Coordinates of all heavy atoms in Angstrom, one line a residue:
M1 N 109.8 106.2 120.2 CA 108.7 106.3 119.3 C 108.1 107.7 119.4 O 107.7 108.3 118.4 CB 107.6 105.2 119.3 CG 106.5 105.3 118.3 SD 107.1 104.9 116.8 CE 105.6 104.6 115.9
A2 N 107.7 108.1 120.5 CA 107.2 109.5 120.8 C 108.1 110.6 120.3 O 107.7 111.5 119.8 CB 106.8 109.7 122.3
E3 N 109.3 110.5 120.5 CA 110.3 111.4 120.0 C 110.3 111.5 118.5 O 110.2 112.6 117.9 CB 111.8 111.1 120.4 CG 112.8 112.2 120.0 CD 114.1 111.8 120.5 OE1 114.3 111.1 121.5 OE2 115.0 112.4 119.9
T4 N 110.2 110.4 117.8 CA 110.1 110.4 116.3 C 108.9 111.1 115.8 O 108.9 111.9 114.9 CB 110.2 108.8 115.8 OG1 111.4 108.3 116.3 CG2 110.1 108.9 114.3
T5 N 107.8 110.8 116.5 CA 106.4 111.5 116.1 C 106.6 113.0 116.3 O 106.1 113.7 115.5 CB 105.3 110.9 117.0 OG1 105.2 109.5 116.8 CG2 104.0 111.5 116.6
T6 N 107.2 113.4 117.4 CA 107.3 114.8 117.7 C 108.2 115.5 116.7 O 107.8 116.6 116.2 CB 108.0 115.1 119.1 OG1 107.1 114.4 120.0 CG2 108.1 116.6 119.4
I7 N 109.3 114.8 116.2 CA 110.2 115.3 115.3 C 109.4 115.5 114.0 O 109.6 116.5 113.3 CB 111.5 114.5 115.2 CG1 112.3 114.7 116.4 CG2 112.3 114.9 113.9 CD1 113.5 113.7 116.6
A8 N 108.7 114.4 113.5 CA 108.0 114.5 112.3 C 106.8 115.6 112.3 O 106.8 116.4 111.3 CB 107.3 113.1 112.1
A9 N 106.2 115.8 113.4 CA 105.2 116.9 113.5 C 105.9 118.2 113.4 O 105.3 119.1 112.8 CB 104.5 116.8 114.8
M10 N 107.0 118.4 114.1 CA 107.7 119.6 114.0 C 108.3 119.9 112.6 O 108.2 121.0 112.2 CB 108.9 119.5 114.9 CG 109.8 120.9 115.2 SD 111.0 120.9 116.3 CE 112.1 119.6 115.7
A11 N 108.8 118.9 111.9 CA 109.3 119.0 110.6 C 108.1 119.5 109.6 O 108.4 120.4 108.8 CB 109.9 117.8 110.1
A12 N 107.0 118.9 109.8 CA 105.8 119.3 109.0 C 105.5 120.7 109.2 O 105.2 121.4 108.3 CB 104.7 118.3 109.2
K13 N 105.3 121.1 110.5 CA 105.0 122.4 110.9 C 106.0 123.5 110.3 O 105.6 124.4 109.7 CB 105.0 122.6 112.4 CG 104.5 124.0 112.7 CD 104.4 124.0 114.3 CE 103.9 125.2 115.0 NZ 104.0 126.6 114.3
V14 N 107.3 123.3 110.5 CA 108.3 124.2 110.0 C 108.3 124.2 108.5 O 108.3 125.3 107.8 CB 109.7 123.6 110.5 CG1 110.9 124.5 109.8 CG2 109.8 124.0 112.0
S15 N 108.1 123.0 107.8 CA 108.1 123.1 106.4 C 106.8 123.9 105.9 O 107.0 124.6 104.9 CB 108.1 121.7 105.7 OG 106.9 121.1 106.1
D16 N 105.7 123.7 106.6 CA 104.5 124.6 106.2 C 104.9 126.0 106.3 O 104.5 126.8 105.4 CB 103.3 124.2 107.0 CG 102.6 123.0 106.6 OD1 102.8 122.5 105.4 OD2 101.8 122.5 107.4
E17 N 105.4 126.5 107.4 CA 105.7 127.9 107.6 C 106.8 128.4 106.6 O 106.6 129.6 106.1 CB 106.1 128.1 109.1 CG 105.1 127.9 110.0 CD 105.5 127.9 111.4 OE1 106.7 128.1 111.8 OE2 104.7 127.7 112.2
I18 N 107.8 127.7 106.3 CA 108.9 128.0 105.4 C 108.3 128.2 103.9 O 108.4 129.3 103.3 CB 109.9 127.2 105.3 CG1 110.7 127.2 106.6 CG2 111.0 127.4 104.2 CD1 111.9 126.2 106.8
F19 N 107.6 127.2 103.4 CA 107.2 127.1 102.1 C 105.8 128.2 101.9 O 105.6 128.6 100.9 CB 106.8 125.7 101.7 CG 108.0 125.0 101.4 CD1 108.2 123.8 102.1 CD2 108.9 125.3 100.5 CE1 109.3 123.1 101.9 CE2 110.1 124.5 100.3 CZ 110.2 123.4 101.0
E20 N 105.1 128.4 103.0 CA 104.0 129.3 102.9 C 104.6 130.8 102.5 O 103.9 131.4 101.7 CB 103.3 129.4 104.2 CG 102.2 130.3 104.2 CD 101.5 130.4 105.5 OE1 100.7 129.4 105.9 OE2 101.6 131.3 106.4
V21 N 105.7 131.2 102.9 CA 106.3 132.4 102.4 C 106.5 132.5 101.0 O 106.4 133.6 100.5 CB 107.7 132.6 103.3 CG1 108.5 133.8 102.8 CG2 107.5 132.7 104.7
F22 N 106.8 131.4 100.4 CA 107.0 131.3 99.0 C 105.8 131.2 98.2 O 105.8 131.1 96.9 CB 108.0 130.3 98.5 CG 109.3 130.4 99.2 CD1 109.7 129.5 100.1 CD2 110.2 131.5 98.9 CE1 111.0 129.6 100.6 CE2 111.4 131.6 99.4 CZ 111.9 130.7 100.3
G23 N 104.6 131.1 98.8 CA 103.3 131.0 98.1 C 103.1 129.5 97.8 O 102.2 129.2 96.9
W24 N 103.7 128.6 98.3 CA 103.5 127.2 98.1 C 102.3 126.6 99.1 O 102.3 127.2 100.2 CB 104.7 126.3 98.4 CG 105.8 126.7 97.4 CD1 106.0 127.8 96.6 CD2 107.0 125.9 97.2 NE1 107.2 127.7 95.9 CE2 107.8 126.6 96.3 CE3 107.5 124.7 97.7 CZ2 109.0 126.0 95.9 CZ3 108.7 124.2 97.4 CH2 109.4 124.8 96.4
E25 N 101.6 125.8 98.7 CA 100.6 125.1 99.4 C 100.8 123.7 99.7 O 101.4 122.9 98.8 CB 99.2 125.5 99.0 CG 98.7 124.8 97.8 CD 97.4 125.2 97.3 OE1 96.6 125.2 98.1 OE2 97.2 125.3 96.1
R26 N 100.4 123.2 100.7 CA 100.5 121.7 101.1 C 99.3 121.0 100.5 O 98.2 121.5 100.5 CB 100.5 121.6 102.6 CG 100.7 120.2 103.1 CD 100.9 120.2 104.6 NE 101.2 118.9 105.0 CZ 101.5 118.5 106.2 NH1 101.5 119.5 107.2 NH2 101.9 117.3 106.6
V27 N 99.6 119.9 100.0 CA 98.6 119.0 99.3 C 98.5 117.7 100.1 O 99.4 117.1 100.5 CB 99.1 118.6 97.8 CG1 98.0 117.8 97.1 CG2 99.4 119.9 96.9
L28 N 97.3 117.3 100.2 CA 97.0 116.1 101.1 C 96.8 115.0 100.1 O 96.4 115.2 98.9 CB 95.7 116.3 101.9 CG 95.9 117.3 103.1 CD1 94.5 117.6 103.8 CD2 97.0 117.1 104.0
P29 N 97.0 113.8 100.4 CA 97.4 113.2 101.7 C 98.8 113.4 102.0 O 99.7 113.6 101.1 CB 96.9 111.7 101.7 CG 97.2 111.5 100.3 CD 96.9 112.7 99.5
S30 N 99.1 113.3 103.3 CA 100.6 113.3 103.7 C 101.0 111.9 104.4 O 100.2 111.1 104.7 CB 100.9 114.5 104.6 OG 100.1 114.5 105.8
D31 N 102.2 111.8 104.6 CA 102.8 110.6 105.2 C 102.2 109.3 104.4 O 101.7 108.5 105.1 CB 102.5 110.5 106.7 CG 102.9 111.7 107.5 OD1 104.1 112.1 107.2 OD2 102.2 112.2 108.3
Q32 N 102.7 109.3 103.2 CA 102.2 108.2 102.4 C 103.5 107.4 101.9 O 104.4 108.0 101.6 CB 101.4 108.7 101.1 CG 100.2 109.4 101.5 CD 99.1 108.4 102.1 OE1 98.9 107.5 101.4 NE2 98.5 108.8 103.2
N33 N 103.2 106.2 101.5 CA 104.2 105.4 100.8 C 103.4 105.1 99.4 O 102.5 104.4 99.3 CB 104.5 104.0 101.4 CG 105.6 104.3 102.6 OD1 106.5 104.9 102.3 ND2 105.5 103.5 103.6
W34 N 103.9 105.8 98.4 CA 103.3 105.7 97.0 C 103.8 104.4 96.4 O 105.0 104.2 96.3 CB 103.6 106.9 96.2 CG 103.1 108.0 96.8 CD1 103.9 109.1 97.6 CD2 101.8 108.6 97.0 NE1 103.1 110.0 98.2 CE2 101.7 109.9 97.8 CE3 100.5 108.2 96.5 CZ2 100.7 110.6 98.0 CZ3 99.4 108.9 96.8 CH2 99.6 110.1 97.5
A35 N 103.0 103.7 95.6 CA 103.5 102.5 94.9 C 104.3 103.0 93.8 O 104.1 104.0 93.1 CB 102.1 101.8 94.2
C36 N 105.5 102.3 93.6 CA 106.3 102.7 92.5 C 105.9 102.1 91.2 O 105.4 100.9 91.1 CB 107.8 101.9 92.8 SG 108.9 102.4 91.5
V37 N 105.7 103.0 90.1 CA 105.2 102.5 88.9 C 106.3 102.3 87.8 O 106.1 102.0 86.7 CB 104.2 103.6 88.4 CG1 103.1 103.5 89.3 CG2 104.8 105.0 88.2
D38 N 107.6 102.4 88.2 CA 108.7 102.3 87.4 C 109.5 101.1 87.7 O 110.3 101.0 88.7 CB 109.6 103.6 87.4 CG 110.7 103.5 86.3 OD1 111.1 102.4 85.8 OD2 111.1 104.6 86.0
P39 N 109.3 100.0 86.9 CA 110.1 98.7 87.3 C 111.6 98.9 87.3 O 112.4 98.1 88.1 CB 109.6 97.7 86.2 CG 109.0 98.4 85.2 CD 108.5 99.8 85.7
D40 N 112.2 100.0 86.5 CA 113.6 100.2 86.7 C 114.1 100.5 88.0 O 115.3 100.4 88.4 CB 114.1 101.2 85.6 CG 113.9 100.7 84.2 OD1 113.8 99.5 84.1 OD2 113.7 101.6 83.2
H41 N 113.3 101.0 89.0 CA 113.7 101.5 90.2 C 113.9 100.4 91.1 O 114.6 100.5 92.2 CB 112.5 102.4 90.8 CG 112.4 103.7 90.3 ND1 111.4 104.5 90.6 CD2 113.2 104.3 89.3 CE1 111.5 105.7 89.9 NE2 112.6 105.6 89.2
Q42 N 113.3 99.2 90.9 CA 113.3 97.9 91.7 C 113.0 98.4 93.2 O 113.7 97.8 94.1 CB 114.8 97.4 91.5 CG 115.2 97.0 90.2 CD 116.6 96.4 90.1 OE1 117.3 96.5 91.0 NE2 116.9 95.9 88.9
K43 N 111.9 99.0 93.3 CA 111.4 99.4 94.7 C 109.8 99.2 94.5 O 109.3 99.2 93.5 CB 111.6 100.9 95.0 CG 113.1 101.2 95.1 CD 113.2 102.7 95.6 CE 114.6 103.0 95.8 NZ 114.9 102.6 97.3
E44 N 109.3 98.9 95.7 CA 107.8 98.6 95.7 C 107.1 100.1 96.0 O 106.0 100.2 95.5 CB 107.6 97.7 96.9 CG 107.9 96.3 96.5 CD 107.5 95.3 97.5 OE1 106.5 95.4 98.2 OE2 108.1 94.3 97.7
T45 N 107.8 100.8 96.9 CA 107.1 102.1 97.1 C 108.1 103.1 97.3 O 109.2 102.9 97.3 CB 106.4 102.0 98.6 OG1 107.4 101.8 99.6 CG2 105.2 100.9 98.6
H46 N 107.6 104.4 97.4 CA 108.4 105.6 97.6 C 107.8 106.4 98.6 O 106.6 106.7 98.6 CB 108.5 106.5 96.3 CG 109.2 105.9 95.2 ND1 110.6 105.8 95.1 CD2 108.8 105.3 94.1 CE1 111.0 105.3 93.9 NE2 109.9 104.9 93.3
P47 N 108.6 106.8 99.7 CA 108.0 107.5 100.7 C 107.8 109.1 100.4 O 108.5 109.6 99.7 CB 109.0 107.5 101.9 CG 110.2 107.3 101.1 CD 110.0 106.4 99.9
S48 N 106.7 109.7 101.0 CA 106.5 111.0 100.8 C 105.8 111.5 102.0 O 104.7 111.2 102.5 CB 105.5 111.2 99.6 OG 105.2 112.5 99.4
D49 N 106.5 112.4 102.8 CA 105.9 113.0 104.0 C 105.0 114.1 103.7 O 103.8 114.2 104.3 CB 107.0 113.5 104.9 CG 107.9 112.4 105.5 OD1 107.4 111.2 105.6 OD2 109.1 112.6 105.8
V50 N 105.3 115.0 102.8 CA 104.5 116.2 102.4 C 104.7 116.4 101.0 O 105.9 116.4 100.5 CB 105.0 117.5 103.3 CG1 104.0 118.5 103.0 CG2 104.9 117.2 104.8
V51 N 103.6 116.7 100.3 CA 103.7 117.3 99.0 C 103.3 118.7 98.9 O 102.2 119.1 99.5 CB 102.9 116.4 97.9 CG1 102.8 117.0 96.6 CG2 103.3 115.0 98.0
F52 N 104.1 119.6 98.3 CA 103.7 121.1 98.2 C 103.4 121.2 96.7 O 103.9 120.5 95.7 CB 104.8 121.9 98.6 CG 105.1 121.8 100.0 CD1 106.1 121.0 100.6 CD2 104.3 122.6 101.0 CE1 106.3 120.9 102.0 CE2 104.6 122.4 102.2 CZ 105.5 121.7 102.8
R53 N 102.7 122.3 96.3 CA 102.6 122.6 95.1 C 102.6 124.2 94.9 O 102.3 124.9 95.9 CB 101.2 122.1 94.4 CG 100.0 122.8 94.9 CD 98.7 122.2 94.2 NE 97.5 122.7 95.0 CZ 96.5 122.1 94.9 NH1 96.2 121.2 94.2 NH2 95.3 122.7 95.6
Y54 N 102.9 124.6 93.7 CA 103.0 126.1 93.4 C 102.9 126.2 92.0 O 103.1 125.5 91.1 CB 104.3 126.7 94.0 CG 105.5 126.3 93.3 CD1 106.0 127.1 92.1 CD2 106.2 125.1 93.7 CE1 107.2 126.6 91.5 CE2 107.4 124.7 93.0 CZ 107.9 125.5 91.9 OH 109.0 125.1 91.2
R55 N 102.3 127.5 91.7 CA 102.2 127.8 90.3 C 103.6 128.5 89.7 O 104.0 129.3 90.3 CB 101.1 128.8 90.2 CG 100.7 129.2 88.8 CD 99.7 128.1 88.3 NE 99.2 128.4 87.0 CZ 98.9 127.6 86.1 NH1 98.9 126.3 86.3 NH2 98.4 128.0 84.9
H56 N 104.1 127.9 88.7 CA 105.4 128.3 88.1 C 105.1 129.7 87.5 O 104.2 129.8 86.7 CB 105.9 127.3 87.1 CG 107.3 127.6 86.9 ND1 107.6 128.7 86.0 CD2 108.4 127.0 87.0 CE1 109.0 128.7 85.8 NE2 109.5 127.6 86.4
P57 N 105.9 130.7 87.9 CA 105.6 132.0 87.5 C 105.9 132.3 86.1 O 105.2 133.2 85.4 CB 106.4 132.9 88.4 CG 107.6 131.9 88.8 CD 107.1 130.6 88.9
Y58 N 106.7 131.5 85.4 CA 106.9 131.8 84.0 C 106.4 130.8 83.0 O 106.2 131.1 81.9 CB 108.5 131.9 83.8 CG 109.1 132.9 84.7 CD1 110.0 132.6 85.7 CD2 108.8 134.3 84.6 CE1 110.6 133.5 86.6 CE2 109.4 135.3 85.3 CZ 110.3 134.8 86.3 OH 110.9 135.8 87.2
R59 N 106.2 129.6 83.5 CA 105.6 128.6 82.6 C 104.2 128.3 82.6 O 103.7 127.5 81.9 CB 106.5 127.3 82.8 CG 107.9 127.5 82.5 CD 108.8 126.2 82.7 NE 108.1 124.9 82.7 CZ 108.3 123.9 83.4 NH1 109.4 123.9 84.2 NH2 107.8 122.7 83.2
A60 N 103.5 129.0 83.6 CA 102.0 128.7 83.8 C 101.7 127.3 84.0 O 100.6 126.8 83.5 CB 101.3 129.4 82.6
V61 N 102.4 126.6 84.8 CA 102.1 125.2 85.0 C 102.1 125.0 86.6 O 102.8 125.8 87.3 CB 103.1 124.2 84.5 CG1 103.0 124.2 82.9 CG2 104.5 124.4 84.9
T62 N 101.5 124.1 87.2 CA 101.6 123.8 88.6 C 102.6 122.8 88.7 O 102.7 121.7 88.1 CB 100.2 123.3 89.2 OG1 99.2 124.2 88.8 CG2 100.3 123.0 90.6
V63 N 103.5 123.1 89.7 CA 104.7 122.2 90.0 C 104.4 121.6 91.3 O 103.9 122.2 92.4 CB 106.0 123.0 90.1 CG1 107.2 122.2 90.6 CG2 106.3 123.7 88.8
H64 N 104.6 120.2 91.4 CA 104.3 119.5 92.7 C 105.8 119.0 93.1 O 106.5 118.5 92.5 CB 103.5 118.3 92.5 CG 101.9 118.6 92.3 ND1 101.6 119.0 91.0 CD2 101.0 118.7 93.2 CE1 100.3 119.2 91.1 NE2 99.9 119.1 92.3
L65 N 106.1 119.2 94.5 CA 107.3 118.9 95.1 C 107.0 118.0 96.3 O 106.4 118.3 97.3 CB 107.9 120.2 95.6 CG 109.2 120.0 96.3 CD1 110.4 119.6 95.4 CD2 109.7 121.3 97.0
T66 N 107.5 116.7 96.1 CA 107.4 115.7 97.2 C 108.6 115.8 98.1 O 109.6 116.1 97.6 CB 107.2 114.3 96.6 OG1 107.1 113.5 97.7 CG2 108.4 113.8 95.9
T67 N 108.3 115.7 99.3 CA 109.4 115.8 100.4 C 109.4 114.7 101.3 O 108.3 114.0 101.6 CB 109.3 117.1 101.1 OG1 108.0 117.0 102.0 CG2 109.3 118.4 100.4
D68 N 110.5 114.3 101.7 CA 110.7 113.3 102.6 C 111.5 113.8 103.9 O 112.6 114.0 103.8 CB 111.4 112.0 102.0 CG 111.6 110.8 102.9 OD1 110.9 110.8 104.0 OD2 112.4 109.9 102.6
L69 N 110.8 114.3 104.8 CA 111.3 115.1 106.0 C 112.1 114.0 106.8 O 111.6 113.3 107.6 CB 110.3 115.7 106.7 CG 109.3 116.5 106.0 CD1 108.2 117.1 106.7 CD2 110.1 117.8 105.4
K70 N 113.4 114.2 106.8 CA 114.3 113.2 107.6 C 114.8 113.9 108.7 O 115.0 115.0 108.8 CB 115.4 112.8 106.6 CG 115.0 112.0 105.4 CD 116.0 111.0 104.9 CE 115.5 110.2 103.8 NZ 114.6 109.2 104.1
S71 N 115.1 113.0 109.7 CA 115.8 113.5 111.0 C 117.1 112.6 111.0 O 117.0 111.4 111.2 CB 114.9 113.3 112.1 OG 115.6 113.7 113.3
F72 N 118.2 113.2 111.0 CA 119.5 112.6 111.1 C 120.2 113.0 112.3 O 120.3 114.1 112.6 CB 120.4 112.9 109.9 CG 119.9 112.4 108.5 CD1 119.4 113.1 107.6 CD2 119.9 111.0 108.3 CE1 119.0 112.7 106.4 CE2 119.4 110.6 107.0 CZ 119.0 111.3 106.2
A73 N 121.0 112.1 112.9 CA 121.9 112.5 113.9 C 123.1 113.1 113.3 O 123.5 112.8 112.2 CB 122.4 111.2 114.8
K74 N 123.6 114.0 113.9 CA 124.7 114.8 113.4 C 125.8 114.0 112.7 O 126.3 114.3 111.8 CB 125.3 115.8 114.5 CG 126.4 116.8 113.9 CD 126.8 117.7 114.9 CE 128.0 118.6 114.5 NZ 128.4 119.5 115.5
A75 N 126.2 112.9 113.6 CA 127.3 112.1 113.0 C 126.9 111.4 111.8 O 127.8 110.9 111.0 CB 127.6 111.2 114.2
S76 N 125.7 111.2 111.5 CA 125.3 110.4 110.3 C 125.0 111.2 109.0 O 124.7 110.7 108.0 CB 123.9 109.5 110.6 OG 122.9 110.5 110.7
V77 N 125.2 112.5 109.2 CA 125.1 113.4 108.0 C 126.3 113.4 107.2 O 127.3 114.1 107.5 CB 124.7 114.8 108.4 CG1 124.6 115.7 107.2 CG2 123.3 114.9 109.2
T78 N 126.4 112.6 106.2 CA 127.5 112.4 105.4 C 127.1 112.7 103.9 O 126.0 112.7 103.5 CB 128.1 110.9 105.5 OG1 127.1 110.0 104.8 CG2 128.4 110.5 106.8
K79 N 128.2 112.9 103.1 CA 127.9 113.1 101.6 C 127.2 111.8 101.1 O 126.2 112.0 100.2 CB 129.3 113.2 100.9 CG 129.2 113.6 99.4 CD 130.5 113.7 98.9 CE 130.4 113.9 97.4 NZ 131.7 114.3 96.8
Q80 N 127.5 110.7 101.4 CA 126.9 109.5 100.9 C 125.4 109.4 101.4 O 124.6 109.1 100.6 CB 127.6 108.1 101.5 CG 128.9 108.0 100.9 CD 130.1 108.9 101.5 OE1 129.9 109.5 102.6 NE2 131.2 109.0 100.8
Q81 N 125.1 109.8 102.6 CA 123.8 109.7 103.2 C 122.9 110.7 102.5 O 121.7 110.4 102.1 CB 123.8 109.8 104.7 CG 122.3 109.7 105.3 CD 121.9 108.3 105.2 OE1 122.5 107.3 105.3 NE2 120.6 108.1 105.0
I82 N 123.4 111.9 102.2 CA 122.7 113.0 101.5 C 122.4 112.5 100.2 O 121.3 112.7 99.6 CB 123.4 114.3 101.7 CG1 123.3 114.7 103.1 CG2 122.7 115.3 100.8 CD1 124.2 115.9 103.4
G83 N 123.4 111.9 99.5 CA 123.2 111.5 98.1 C 122.2 110.5 98.0 O 121.4 110.4 97.1
K84 N 122.2 109.4 98.9 CA 121.3 108.4 99.0 C 119.8 109.0 99.1 O 118.8 108.6 98.4 CB 121.5 107.4 100.1 CG 120.6 106.3 100.3 CD 120.9 105.4 101.4 CE 120.0 104.3 101.7 NZ 120.2 103.5 102.7
A85 N 119.5 110.0 100.0 CA 118.3 110.6 100.2 C 117.9 111.4 99.0 O 116.8 111.2 98.6 CB 118.4 111.6 101.4
L86 N 118.8 112.0 98.3 CA 118.4 112.8 97.1 C 118.1 111.9 95.9 O 117.1 112.1 95.2 CB 119.6 113.7 96.7 CG 119.7 114.9 97.6 CD1 121.0 115.7 97.2 CD2 118.5 115.7 97.5
R87 N 118.9 110.8 95.9 CA 118.5 109.8 94.6 C 117.1 109.2 94.9 O 116.3 109.0 94.0 CB 119.5 108.7 94.7 CG 120.8 109.2 94.0 CD 121.8 108.0 93.7 NE 122.3 107.4 94.9 CZ 123.3 107.9 95.7 NH1 123.9 109.0 95.3 NH2 123.8 107.3 96.7
S88 N 116.8 108.9 96.2 CA 115.5 108.4 96.5 C 114.4 109.4 96.1 O 113.3 109.1 95.6 CB 115.3 108.0 97.9 OG 114.0 107.6 98.4
L89 N 114.5 110.7 96.5 CA 113.6 111.7 96.1 C 113.4 111.9 94.7 O 112.2 112.0 94.2 CB 114.0 113.1 96.8 CG 113.6 113.2 98.2 CD1 114.2 114.5 98.8 CD2 112.1 113.2 98.4
V90 N 114.5 111.8 93.9 CA 114.4 111.9 92.5 C 113.7 110.7 91.9 O 112.8 111.0 91.0 CB 115.9 111.9 91.9 CG1 115.8 111.8 90.3 CG2 116.6 113.3 92.2
M91 N 113.8 109.6 92.4 CA 113.0 108.5 91.9 C 111.5 108.5 92.2 O 110.7 108.2 91.5 CB 113.5 107.2 92.5 CG 114.8 106.7 91.8 SD 115.1 105.0 92.2 CE 115.8 105.2 93.9
S92 N 111.2 109.2 93.3 CA 109.8 109.3 93.6 C 109.2 110.3 92.8 O 107.9 110.4 92.7 CB 109.6 109.6 95.1 OG 110.2 110.9 95.5

């Protein structure tokens, strides 16, 4: 459990530092399970570790990007697993 907490903290720190370079800012709260509002998803919640926002430079709108910071063992990084993670993010 402690290792998982350390990995999550490290992922949040790294993501802050990476996205800060692009002018994105972190939006609170973090580490949330948001209620699903689309019955077609057939899910109760959607996980969100960190939400970032930035001002779109050409459209003059604020874009919010939800992230689910995952930690995978090397052997488990497969096309199917990545596809599953991306589909989950799209639904959220």
Side-chain angles (χ1 to χ4, degrees):
M1 181 69 166
E3 183 178 338
T4 303
T5 303
T6 303
I7 291 170
M10 183 176 65
K13 181 179 183 337
V14 169
S15 65
D16 278 345
E17 291 173 2
I18 290 171
F19 288 118
E20 184 179 283
V21 171
F22 299 112
W24 296 15
E25 65 180 322
R26 189 174 181 169
V27 181
L28 296 176
S30 56
D31 299 321
Q32 297 289 310
N33 278 320
W34 303 100
C36 181
V37 295
D38 188 337
D40 291 338
H41 290 173
Q42 299 178 350
K43 293 182 174 282
E44 292 184 27
T45 62
H46 293 285
S48 176
D49 291 334
V50 181
V51 176
F52 293 95
R53 70 177 170 204
Y54 67 93
R55 190 82 175 150
H56 192 286
Y58 302 113
R59 294 180 26 214
V61 296
T62 300
V63 176
H64 289 82
L65 175 70
T66 185
T67 61
D68 186 9
L69 306 173
K70 297 211 177 280
S71 175
F72 293 110
K74 184 177 179 179
S76 70
V77 178
T78 64
K79 182 178 178 180
Q80 292 79 17
Q81 187 65 35
I82 291 170
K84 181 180 173 184
L86 288 174
R87 283 189 296 280
S88 177
L89 278 172
V90 167
M91 283 193 282
S92 65

